[in-house]
């Protein structure tokens, strides 16, 4: 069972650590990469030996973070995970399993964190793990350099959909302002992260739109991509994350589903919901988890089986909400 730490306690443990390995989750997004990179730079500013490890390649769009990647050149004495809710999310590549057997520290904002680390800084209300890292780095007494600010802004902006998601709070904006004051390259980062789409990504989107389906009297919209279609498009898997916002953006849709077939044949399902519908509750019943409005799970079997399984859970959740509303009425 993990021991919960506050910001200062986490900062103190990091300041006392040596030979630190910072772990990202597989299929890395801007938050896990941005946090890992920012923490790596902060530790290096304290003359610590630190490096970042990820099971999968870091997407090109996050190359601006440019932290030192782990090459096996030192034996980690402290292992830190950032933005990783469970052991299963670390992945199997790049020797990752060797270092996930024992995780010392975890900094996360997923309410469903399984408590796998010895010590955890957790705030399920934070819009991004980058919010927590910002506080931790200041508590470590490290100067907020332009480099660190760029990394934290990458995490903060991507996990909030450029500050559009409901998880965004006044604190989120205040931290963003501090990062801008510290020199974050706002225009360059926003262009790179939100306004530039590779042609391969556009091809994958075209295919996914052709697969658009409506279910449950239009309350649920679903798109999907098979493994062959993903490979044919040439899209970077990280760019597929952006597709998850397409179904829920349709008028009248309460639940948006995006199904992507993985190399092993399973289907990774992203759940996005309208206000009042719990995405995490839907995903959790299928072994997944996440946030109130954005969650996910992974299912074995063919496409039809995956669709049927997730749609059954969506229907149960929507019907329960309808019945509760009728009782109140």
């Amino acid at each position: 069972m993990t021991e919960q730490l506050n910001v200062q306690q986490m900062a103190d443990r990091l300041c006392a650590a040596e030979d630190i390995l910072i772990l990202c989750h597989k299929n890395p997004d801007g938050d896990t990469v941005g946090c890992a990179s920012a923490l790596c730079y902060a530790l290096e500013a304290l003359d610590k030996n630190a490096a970042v490890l990820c099971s999968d390649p870091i997407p090109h769009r996050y190359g601006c973070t440019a932290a030192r990647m782990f090459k096996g050149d030192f034996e980690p004495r402290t292992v830190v995970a950032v933005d990783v809710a469970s052991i299963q999310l670390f992945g199997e590549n790049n020797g990752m399993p060797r270092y996930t057997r024992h995780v010392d520290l975890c900094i996360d904002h997923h309410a469903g964190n399984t408590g796998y680390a010895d010590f955890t800084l957790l705030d399920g209300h934070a819009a991004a793990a980058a919010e927590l890292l910002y506080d931790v780095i200041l508590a470590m007494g490290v100067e907020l350099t332009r480099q660190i600010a760029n990394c934290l802004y990458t995490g903060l902006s991507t996990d909030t959909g450029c500050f559009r998601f409901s998880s965004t709070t006044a604190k989120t904006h205040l931290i963003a302002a501090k990062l801008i004051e510290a020199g974050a390259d706002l225009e360059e980062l926003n262009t790179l992260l939100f306004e530039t789409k590779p042609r391969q990504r556009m091809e994958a989107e075209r295919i996914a739109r052709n697969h658009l389906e409506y279910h449950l009297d239009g309350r649920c919209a679903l798109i999907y991509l098979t493994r062959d279609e993903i490979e044919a498009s040439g899209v970077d898997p990280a760019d597929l994350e952006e597709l998850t916002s397409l179904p829920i953006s349709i008028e009248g849709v309460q639940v948006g589903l995006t199904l992507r077939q993985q190399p092993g044949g399973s289907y990774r399902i992203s759940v996005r919901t309208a206000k009042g519908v719990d995405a995490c509750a839907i995903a959790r019943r299928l072994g997944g988890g996440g946030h109130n409005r954005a969650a996910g799970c992974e299912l074995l079997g063919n496409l039809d089986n995956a669709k049927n399984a997730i749609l059954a859970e969506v229907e149960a959740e929507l019907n329960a909400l309808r019945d509760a509303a009728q009782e109140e009425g």
Side-chain angles (χ1 to χ4, degrees):
M1 181 63 68
T2 190
E3 180 179 332
Q4 296 292 334
L5 302 182
N6 61 33
V7 168
Q8 188 60 58
Q9 289 171 329
M10 178 59 73
D12 291 344
R13 287 188 175 274
L14 287 168
C15 287
E18 300 292 342
D19 296 325
I20 305 115
L21 182 61
I22 307 164
L23 306 181
C24 301
H25 60 68
K26 63 182 178 179
N27 301 312
D29 61 9
D31 198 20
T32 194
V33 173
C35 286
S37 301
L39 180 56
C40 188
Y41 289 130
L43 290 166
E44 289 176 343
L46 297 175
D47 295 322
K48 303 284 186 181
N49 185 28
V52 175
L53 179 65
C54 187
S55 178
D56 299 317
I58 303 299
H60 175 72
R61 68 172 56 195
Y62 307 134
C64 58
T65 60
R68 176 192 174 196
M69 300 304 293
F70 184 62
K71 304 295 183 183
D73 47 331
F74 66 90
E75 186 60 34
R77 295 166 60 185
T78 302
V79 177
V80 185
V82 288
D83 192 46
V84 187
S86 69
I87 290 286
Q88 292 76 16
L89 295 176
F90 283 114
E92 303 292 328
N93 304 321
N94 286 338
M96 181 68 80
R98 174 184 175 187
Y99 302 106
T100 57
R101 296 190 189 105
H102 182 93
V103 179
D104 299 287
L105 305 173
C106 174
I107 302 172
D108 190 24
H109 72 126
H110 295 95
N113 186 286
T114 60
Y116 58 87
D118 288 347
F119 300 94
T120 302
L121 171 61
L122 176 65
D123 183 354
H125 298 293
E131 279 194 11
L132 302 177
L133 254 297
Y134 171 83
D135 290 337
V136 169
I137 288 172
L138 291 185
M140 291 167 64
V142 174
E143 178 188 358
L144 200 62
T145 64
R146 176 180 177 182
Q147 197 171 45
I148 292 175
N150 279 340
C151 294
L152 291 176
Y153 185 85
T154 296
L156 196 65
S157 63
T158 55
D159 239 33
T160 59
C162 203
F163 309 100
R164 293 182 296 108
F165 296 164
S166 61
S167 58
T168 305
T169 64
K171 181 179 180 179
T172 310
H173 285 290
L174 288 171
I175 292 175
K178 293 296 184 182
L179 298 178
I180 294 169
E181 289 178 351
D185 299 310
L186 188 66
E187 182 178 1
E188 180 181 336
L189 288 171
N190 284 342
T191 298
L192 179 64
L193 297 171
F194 303 107
E195 297 177 8
T196 304
K197 296 182 180 180
R199 293 185 179 183
Q200 295 89 340
R201 156 55 168 94
M202 293 300 293
E203 174 62 12
E205 182 176 326
R206 182 191 65 79
I207 296 170
R209 286 179 182 273
N210 285 340
H211 291 325
L212 175 63
E213 301 176 359
Y214 294 100
H215 297 272
L216 306 175
D217 299 321
R219 294 179 295 168
C220 176
L222 177 155
I223 58 175
Y224 67 87
L225 285 167
T226 68
R227 179 180 53 200
D228 290 342
E229 288 169 337
I230 293 171
E231 292 176 354
S233 71
V235 66
D236 186 323
D239 286 330
L240 294 177
E241 288 297 327
E242 292 185 10
L243 297 183
T244 60
S245 63
L246 291 177
I248 193 59
S249 67
I250 301 170
E251 182 180 9
V253 169
Q254 294 178 273
V255 179
L257 303 174
T258 304
L259 283 67
R260 292 165 285 170
Q261 191 175 28
Q262 303 301 292
S266 62
Y267 276 88
R268 185 180 179 191
I269 303 177
S270 296
V271 184
R272 300 292 183 267
T273 58
K275 185 177 181 179
V277 183
D278 191 344
C280 190
I282 294 171
R284 190 187 299 121
R285 289 194 284 264
L286 294 172
H291 301 288
N292 184 256
R293 302 278 297 278
C297 59
E298 191 165 331
L299 299 179
L300 300 175
N302 59 34
L303 178 60
D304 286 339
N305 289 340
K307 283 184 186 180
N308 291 336
I310 189 65
L311 287 171
E313 299 304 335
V314 171
E315 183 174 22
E317 182 69 15
L318 292 180
N319 287 346
L321 289 173
R322 180 197 60 197
D323 294 344
Q326 290 176 346
E327 290 181 4
E328 291 178 0

